[in-house]
Amino acid sequence: MLDVTERDVSLTEWVELIAEYEHNDIPIINIKEDGVTYDAIFVGGGAGGRFGGSYLTAMGGKALIIDAWPFLGGSCPHQACVPHHLFSEAAALLERERRLAGKLWFRQPGELKVSMLELIEAFRNLRNSAHAVMNFQTKSQLGVDYVLNAKATVIDPYTVEVAGRTFHTRNVVLGMGAHQRPLHLPGGDLPGVYDYATLVEDLDYEPTRCVIIGGSKVAVEYGSFFQAAGVQTTILTRSPLLTTKSLHHVDEDLRRYVVDNMRTSGIQILEGSTPIAINGDGKVEEVVVKTAEGDTVRIPCDFVYNGTGEKPLSDLASQWLGVKVGARDEVVVDSRMRTSVDNVYAIGDLIGGPMEMFKARKCGMTAARNIMGQDYEFDFSEYPDFLHTTFEVTWVGLTEDEAREKYPNVVTLQMPPKGIDPSTICLPASDGTMLYAFLRPEDSGFQKAVIDGDTRRIVGVHHVGYGAKDAFQYLDYLMSRPEGLTVDDMAEMNELFLNPEHFIQLSRLRAGSPNLVDL
Amino acid sequence: MLDVTERDVSLTEWVELIAEYEHNDIPIINIKEDGVTYDAIFVGGGAGGRFGGSYLTAMGGKALIIDAWPFLGGSCPHQACVPHHLFSEAAALLERERRLAGKLWFRQPGELKVSMLELIEAFRNLRNSAHAVMNFQTKSQLGVDYVLNAKATVIDPYTVEVAGRTFHTRNVVLGMGAHQRPLHLPGGDLPGVYDYATLVEDLDYEPTRCVIIGGSKVAVEYGSFFQAAGVQTTILTRSPLLTTKSLHHVDEDLRRYVVDNMRTSGIQILEGSTPIAINGDGKVEEVVVKTAEGDTVRIPCDFVYNGTGEKPLSDLASQWLGVKVGARDEVVVDSRMRTSVDNVYAIGDLIGGPMEMFKARKCGMTAARNIMGQDYEFDFSEYPDFLHTTFEVTWVGLTEDEAREKYPNVVTLQMPPKGIDPSTICLPASDGTMLYAFLRPEDSGFQKAVIDGDTRRIVGVHHVGYGAKDAFQYLDYLMSRPEGLTVDDMAEMNELFLNPEHFIQLSRLRAGSPNLVDL
């Protein structure tokens, strides 16, 4: 056991400690006071547990976070959001190099050589630095107790055992996350089959030909990265991409722009296809697939990526406490994150989709507030969303089609304007698409605001480009207010030009009119 | 005279027309109805005139826009914001290549060869495409009358002559913009001396060694571009960079991060220096400078950039109408954009700083609303701001120092945290700084939120990185509301993680506490 409670562990020390302890089972203990009864023990120190424990501590409560890894933050900095963003940044840079090859300072076509393995190794080499921040911040800045590198056993809602010790609590908050659903088809466990987690953990060769099974957000994102990194990629998907039920409010114009762009990158997308088997002698060599036309096709490959979605890790929760579990393996909770068992809460990916950061963290906060006596509900049925291809794609609110079903007088502001060939217009030029605007105008992005013309409220915004993701957090907040966000409000704003999304100025060009029309 | 009124001119036709007409003086006429009395004639079709004319037309008024160029949009798409953004995007990409040289797919040190001239030519070749959008949108989508490629003469507030015709109006709105102040020192007019306008118009060789005279925003931005493009750059500035009075609310920590980063790029910054002369035999060969220490130094160079700031083009306004002009050559207006002469308004860069897009456009809108009988004021004393080095730098509200003067209990949330060596922490990793985070952590950016701990309001936010510019438009709006924006509001938001600025989650980590403290 390593007790760091009394030590002032620096960031660099944490990096070294984590590197050492990830290869052993020795618990790391940071507990300010022995023998206390906690207000909550958070089982799982990912986003939900860490934010829940921090919020509860900030409120003056006593929280203990337990995680099996030697660091806090969960899968995000270890296998999920952080490497995903690293890979997506690489994908955007590499795709720009490919599309502008031979122009300006960009290398000639074929000259760019990329090692995907090297990038993954760069991530592996430094990911402990991100982990270290989580441990440092949570201990030294936020003052939260934790036990790391040790598996918890929940005895009942008031008793948790870990690292050979028994801890008492008034509530248990379960946040054990989710993991990739395995591929249920012959050859699904052959070497050479990867998912987002095993990719960063285990990849030890340079793939050249990839087949992705599944059409999830993760499949779209990683497929774009593989292709940009020079790995010829085929996506096998039952439904057309970005139409799955788990992705709501995807505008059809945006969807088409994004999917066409993936095809432009060279990704082969087989819609309506069903994988039959993965074959190979000791490692994957081909995927057998039944196409939409009913043909059986063999796709040679040395790399298969499982993009079929994740399953909440609810088995232990069920065994320990008998909490109710739903049809998709999720622990069932109410809007206060209470499970079916008194004093047991569940948060994050464990309660099902959307498996997004905002939800995990706000679940943790919601549990903390209720545990501390505040009556606080969290409704995550509506939220802003994004994904990366080689573009950043963001949206919030209604699609144009959804708006037309709901409102009689729908107005859109968009670029390129409806009916204009994108290759003849360099707009939406903006941060990140300036070179495209002047060298390949059709790649300068797409944006659309959807407005209820009667109330003048902006009811949906949709963006393909770069640099708008951060803004969509605030657009979501503004649009969700009871008073909403009108084109007249937008016309009053102080734009920072060239703004990545041009909604403020497009709104201003129309706002003078009592009768809004498309732009 | 080319009358396009009855023609449906497409985007591609506009590109060709502008290319042809920029070399002649033949007016382009788009006037729906002859002999009307306009509500306003906008003299100058830049951002202010175009948005003013469009807003007034949308309100049901009659507007005529006149511009001496064969396109609308003014200097922005021709010489200013658009090329600046293109160059800044290039600078960010090139600097990343240099800093990560030899790593991953990046070329070895010294292998990257950049032609600045080629990039400028790429801009010149396609800028008419941006111009075409302005003409197309204003005629075909916004329905505003205009006369282009012809110089106006204002006879009185009710009479304007252009293209051999006389137009009648109830008001005149002046928006003739600004231009670079010339260098008043020996050799200031030698070939090889450029400013933002002549750079894109005239450059015809590949510079290798640059001296920038002046420490304005433009000097910082173009200097960063020149250096990233491989042109060794020296900036001569009286005051330390980013401390000029024209740039308000620059936080000292942000300033230091930005200026240190410029030095890391290899830019030489001579603070407290005074240029004495530019010498050369037929073109610039050296700049003679008196340093802060009082020494006289000769800096060899083949390229001098005038970054001393702009002067409003108020001479004609004064001659035509006798409007009052201020000490910095600006036409003096009130908060309704009214000049000292009845029925004469002035807008945009012509009325002085800040010479920013939001101000120009909203000035135009303000004039339009007042002309159409609405009592509408525009106060631009406070606004969000940004600049580019090889980073995007954004800020709004108070600096930490300003906040400490105003509030007794100031709290900051920042990354890297105070007192932490940036090279030991990969945060703020985010879109655009992921590769830096894993390969050169000290280049992953800087961010700080400044909070009045008593009201819990966020009173200033400051960011160095990428992707936050768009968000700052909305942060400005939210912070400027009478109720402000509190850390508790932020804790409720749905972040899109990894968000470029991490203010939402940093706020949430603290929001539980009744007594806020630094993070």
Side-chain angles (χ1 to χ4, degrees):
Chain A
M1 196 187 79
L2 171 71
D3 193 328
V4 296
T5 312
E6 301 298 325
R7 284 172 54 184
D8 196 11
V9 187
S10 73
L11 274 171
T12 40
E13 280 178 278
W14 270 123
V15 173
E16 288 159 23
L17 274 180
I18 295 166
E20 183 184 344
Y21 280 69
E22 66 186 340
H23 302 295
N24 67 38
D25 291 321
I26 303 169
I28 301 171
I29 308 284
N30 171 49
I31 291 180
K32 290 188 292 292
E33 193 185 341
D34 277 333
V36 301
T37 298
Y38 287 100
D39 293 295
I41 292 180
F42 292 81
V43 180
R50 199 174 85 86
F51 271 70
S54 300
Y55 203 95
L56 192 141
T57 304
M59 291 179 84
K62 288 183 196 298
L64 174 66
I65 306 175
I66 301 172
D67 203 282
W69 275 329
F71 50 84
L72 293 165
S75 62
C76 160
H78 198 56
Q79 300 166 334
C81 342
V82 172
H84 155 56
H85 275 74
L86 177 67
F87 301 156
S88 294
E89 183 174 307
L93 291 169
L94 291 169
E95 187 66 19
R96 194 188 278 105
E97 285 250 4
R98 292 185 192 286
R99 294 194 183 195
L100 305 182
K103 295 178 179 170
L104 300 173
W105 61 85
F106 296 101
R107 280 163 274 196
Q108 294 299 318
E111 267 185 27
L112 177 66
K113 301 288 176 219
V114 184
S115 162
M116 201 168 96
L117 189 55
E118 213 170 72
L119 180 61
I120 289 171
E121 279 167 353
F123 168 70
R124 271 183 213 144
N125 290 343
L126 252 93
R127 68 177 166 181
N128 280 347
S129 175
H131 301 150
V133 179
M134 303 292 115
N135 288 8
F136 171 81
Q137 187 188 60
T138 310
K139 172 177 166 20
S140 300
Q141 296 190 287
L142 302 171
V144 188
D145 281 5
Y146 52 72
V147 175
L148 302 177
N149 216 30
K151 286 191 172 128
T153 303
V154 180
I155 306 301
D156 60 41
Y158 316 104
T159 318
V160 178
E161 290 180 357
V162 67
R165 293 167 64 172
T166 300
F167 293 93
H168 301 286
T169 182
R170 295 186 179 90
N171 301 274
V172 164
V173 184
L174 303 171
M176 286 96 76
H179 72 168
Q180 180 64 47
R181 289 183 191 275
L183 282 177
H184 291 299
L185 81 169
D189 55 357
L190 269 177
V193 178
Y194 290 88
D195 59 39
Y196 72 94
T198 56
L199 177 74
V200 295
E201 297 299 337
D202 302 335
L203 188 77
D204 58 0
Y205 66 102
E206 209 66 74
T208 62
R209 188 70 179 78
C210 169
V211 174
I212 295 182
I213 295 176
S216 69
K217 206 185 205 186
V218 164
V220 167
E221 295 182 316
Y222 279 75
S224 298
F225 164 55
F226 299 149
Q227 184 72 33
V231 181
Q232 173 58 46
T233 296
T234 301
I235 297 179
L236 309 182
T237 175
R238 292 224 171 87
S239 319
L241 289 184
L242 309 183
T243 60
T244 56
K245 277 177 219 145
S246 62
L247 276 184
H248 64 350
H249 303 316
V250 179
D251 185 87
E252 183 56 22
D253 287 335
L254 173 132
R255 194 187 79 78
R256 214 159 27 216
Y257 191 94
V258 168
V259 176
D260 285 353
N261 177 65
M262 290 173 69
R263 289 205 173 91
T264 302
S265 301
I267 298 174
Q268 185 185 26
I269 302 166
L270 297 185
E271 291 176 354
S273 62
T274 312
I276 308 291
I278 303 171
N279 296 331
D281 184 9
K283 69 186 294 290
V284 296
E285 290 173 7
E286 65 172 23
V287 175
V288 186
V289 57
K290 192 166 174 185
T291 68
E293 296 74 31
D295 303 327
T296 299
V297 173
R298 292 162 186 279
I299 307 173
C301 60
D302 56 4
F303 181 70
V304 172
Y305 188 80
N306 176 358
T308 56
E310 290 181 72
K311 174 195 172 317
L313 286 163
S314 53
D315 293 355
L316 275 177
S318 181
Q319 283 171 35
W320 285 336
L321 296 159
V323 294
K324 188 177 165 194
V325 171
R328 293 185 57 80
D329 301 303
E330 78 284 8
V331 172
V332 176
V333 294
D334 64 13
S335 58
R336 292 172 180 81
M337 305 305 129
R338 297 182 301 201
T339 67
S340 61
V341 176
D342 282 353
N343 300 103
V344 178
Y345 294 74
I347 60 177
D349 294 349
L350 184 63
I351 65 169
M355 295 191 186
E356 299 289 351
M357 184 55 88
F358 83 93
K359 192 207 71 180
R361 289 168 169 168
K362 287 178 70 177
C363 282
M365 176 177 83
T366 303
R369 294 178 76 156
N370 280 284
I371 287 166
M372 293 301 287
Q374 289 186 8
D375 183 30
Y376 182 83
E377 293 181 82
F378 175 31
D379 172 7
F380 48 82
S381 52
E382 292 298 333
Y383 53 92
D385 207 350
F386 78 96
L387 58 79
H388 294 110
T389 58
T390 54
F391 282 126
E392 175 202 281
V393 184
T394 39
W395 64 97
V396 63
L398 303 180
T399 67
E400 184 177 343
D401 290 343
E402 289 168 344
R404 290 197 187 283
E405 291 222 345
K406 191 164 175 185
Y407 304 107
N409 176 22
V410 168
V411 174
T412 59
L413 311 176
Q414 75 174 51
M415 284 202 292
K418 282 198 163 89
I420 300 280
D421 171 2
S423 71
T424 66
I425 185 167
C426 63
L427 286 173
S430 65
D431 291 289
T433 62
M434 292 306 298
L435 284 163
Y436 282 140
F438 283 90
L439 299 169
R440 275 178 67 111
E442 65 272 30
D443 290 345
S444 67
F446 171 81
Q447 44 199 248
K448 183 197 281 188
V450 181
I451 296 161
D452 168 19
D454 294 333
T455 61
R456 303 171 73 85
R457 280 189 185 185
I458 296 169
V459 297
V461 281
H462 308 271
H463 187 265
V464 185
Y466 301 99
K469 196 166 87 174
D470 212 41
F472 271 58
Q473 306 173 139
Y474 304 107
L475 281 168
D476 168 58
Y477 180 78
L478 287 163
M479 289 164 59
S480 304
R481 296 176 304 175
E483 68 271 33
L485 178 70
T486 66
V487 290
D488 309 291
D489 298 329
M490 288 287 263
E492 297 291 323
M493 290 187 187
N494 299 317
E495 66 267 44
L496 293 175
F497 192 71
L498 310 184
N499 20 14
E501 43 80 358
H502 297 235
F503 299 131
I504 294 176
Q505 65 259 33
L506 293 178
S507 294
R508 188 179 298 126
L509 285 170
R510 283 305 195 204
S513 174
N515 300 308
L516 296 175
V517 289
D518 288 353
L519 182 62
Chain B
M1 194 188 79
L2 171 72
D3 192 328
V4 296
T5 311
E6 301 298 325
R7 285 173 55 183
D8 197 11
V9 187
S10 73
L11 272 171
T12 41
E13 280 178 277
W14 270 123
V15 174
E16 289 159 23
L17 275 179
I18 295 166
E20 184 185 343
Y21 281 69
E22 66 186 341
H23 302 295
N24 67 37
D25 291 320
I26 303 169
I28 301 171
I29 308 284
N30 172 49
I31 292 180
K32 290 187 292 294
E33 193 184 341
D34 277 335
V36 301
T37 298
Y38 287 101
D39 293 295
I41 293 180
F42 292 81
V43 180
R50 199 174 86 86
F51 271 69
S54 300
Y55 203 95
L56 192 141
T57 304
M59 290 180 85
K62 289 183 194 299
L64 173 67
I65 306 174
I66 301 171
D67 203 282
W69 275 328
F71 51 83
L72 294 165
S75 62
C76 160
H78 199 57
Q79 299 166 333
C81 342
V82 173
H84 155 56
H85 274 75
L86 177 67
F87 302 156
S88 293
E89 182 174 307
L93 291 169
L94 292 169
E95 187 65 19
R96 194 186 278 105
E97 285 250 5
R98 292 186 193 285
R99 294 193 184 196
L100 304 183
K103 295 178 180 171
L104 300 174
W105 61 85
F106 296 101
R107 279 163 276 197
Q108 294 298 319
E111 267 184 27
L112 177 67
K113 301 287 176 222
V114 184
S115 163
M116 201 167 94
L117 189 55
E118 213 171 73
L119 180 62
I120 288 171
E121 280 167 352
F123 169 70
R124 272 185 214 144
N125 290 343
L126 252 93
R127 67 176 167 183
N128 279 346
S129 175
H131 300 151
V133 179
M134 304 292 116
N135 288 9
F136 170 82
Q137 187 188 61
T138 310
K139 172 176 166 23
S140 301
Q141 296 189 288
L142 302 171
V144 187
D145 282 3
Y146 51 72
V147 175
L148 302 178
N149 218 29
K151 285 192 172 130
T153 304
V154 180
I155 306 301
D156 62 42
Y158 317 105
T159 318
V160 178
E161 290 180 356
V162 67
R165 292 167 65 173
T166 301
F167 293 92
H168 300 286
T169 183
R170 295 187 179 90
N171 301 275
V172 164
V173 184
L174 304 171
M176 287 96 75
H179 72 168
Q180 180 63 48
R181 289 182 192 276
L183 282 177
H184 293 298
L185 79 169
D189 55 357
L190 269 177
V193 178
Y194 290 88
D195 59 39
Y196 72 94
T198 56
L199 176 74
V200 295
E201 296 300 337
D202 303 334
L203 188 77
D204 59 0
Y205 66 102
E206 210 66 73
T208 62
R209 188 70 177 80
C210 169
V211 174
I212 295 182
I213 294 175
S216 68
K217 207 185 205 186
V218 164
V220 167
E221 294 182 317
Y222 280 75
S224 298
F225 164 54
F226 299 149
Q227 183 72 33
V231 182
Q232 173 58 48
T233 295
T234 301
I235 297 179
L236 308 182
T237 175
R238 291 223 171 87
S239 319
L241 289 183
L242 310 183
T243 61
T244 55
K245 277 178 220 146
S246 62
L247 276 184
H248 64 351
H249 303 316
V250 179
D251 184 86
E252 183 57 21
D253 287 335
L254 174 131
R255 194 187 80 76
R256 212 157 30 215
Y257 191 93
V258 169
V259 175
D260 285 353
N261 177 66
M262 291 173 69
R263 289 204 173 92
T264 302
S265 301
I267 299 173
Q268 185 184 28
I269 302 165
L270 297 186
E271 291 176 354
S273 62
T274 312
I276 308 290
I278 304 171
N279 297 330
D281 184 9
K283 69 186 294 292
V284 297
E285 290 172 7
E286 65 172 21
V287 176
V288 185
V289 55
K290 190 165 175 187
T291 67
E293 296 74 30
D295 302 327
T296 299
V297 173
R298 291 161 186 279
I299 307 173
C301 60
D302 54 6
F303 181 69
V304 171
Y305 188 80
N306 177 358
T308 57
E310 291 182 72
K311 172 195 174 317
L313 286 163
S314 53
D315 293 354
L316 275 176
S318 182
Q319 283 171 36
W320 285 336
L321 296 159
V323 295
K324 188 177 165 194
V325 171
R328 294 184 57 80
D329 301 304
E330 77 283 8
V331 173
V332 177
V333 294
D334 65 12
S335 58
R336 293 170 180 82
M337 306 304 130
R338 297 182 301 202
T339 68
S340 60
V341 176
D342 282 353
N343 300 103
V344 177
Y345 295 73
I347 60 178
D349 293 349
L350 184 63
I351 64 169
M355 294 191 187
E356 299 290 351
M357 183 55 87
F358 84 93
K359 192 208 71 180
R361 289 169 168 168
K362 287 178 70 178
C363 281
M365 177 177 83
T366 303
R369 294 177 77 156
N370 281 284
I371 286 167
M372 293 301 288
Q374 291 186 6
D375 183 29
Y376 182 84
E377 294 181 83
F378 175 32
D379 172 7
F380 47 82
S381 52
E382 292 298 333
Y383 53 92
D385 207 350
F386 78 95
L387 58 79
H388 294 110
T389 58
T390 53
F391 283 124
E392 175 202 283
V393 184
T394 38
W395 64 97
V396 63
L398 303 180
T399 67
E400 184 177 344
D401 290 343
E402 289 168 344
R404 290 195 188 284
E405 290 220 348
K406 191 164 175 185
Y407 303 108
N409 175 22
V410 168
V411 175
T412 59
L413 311 176
Q414 76 174 51
M415 284 202 292
K418 282 199 162 90
I420 300 279
D421 171 1
S423 71
T424 66
I425 185 166
C426 63
L427 286 172
S430 65
D431 292 289
T433 61
M434 292 306 297
L435 283 163
Y436 282 140
F438 283 91
L439 298 168
R440 275 177 67 111
E442 65 273 30
D443 290 344
S444 66
F446 171 81
Q447 43 198 252
K448 182 197 281 188
V450 181
I451 297 160
D452 168 19
D454 293 334
T455 61
R456 303 172 72 85
R457 280 190 185 185
I458 296 168
V459 297
V461 280
H462 308 272
H463 187 264
V464 185
Y466 301 99
K469 197 167 85 175
D470 212 42
F472 271 58
Q473 304 174 140
Y474 304 107
L475 280 168
D476 168 57
Y477 180 78
L478 288 162
M479 288 164 60
S480 304
R481 296 176 304 174
E483 68 269 34
L485 177 70
T486 66
V487 289
D488 309 292
D489 298 329
M490 288 286 263
E492 297 291 324
M493 291 188 187
N494 299 317
E495 66 267 45
L496 292 175
F497 191 70
L498 310 183
N499 20 14
E501 43 80 357
H502 297 233
F503 299 131
I504 294 175
Q505 64 259 33
L506 293 178
S507 293
R508 188 178 298 124
L509 286 170
R510 284 304 195 206
S513 174
N515 301 308
L516 296 174
V517 290
D518 289 353
L519 182 64

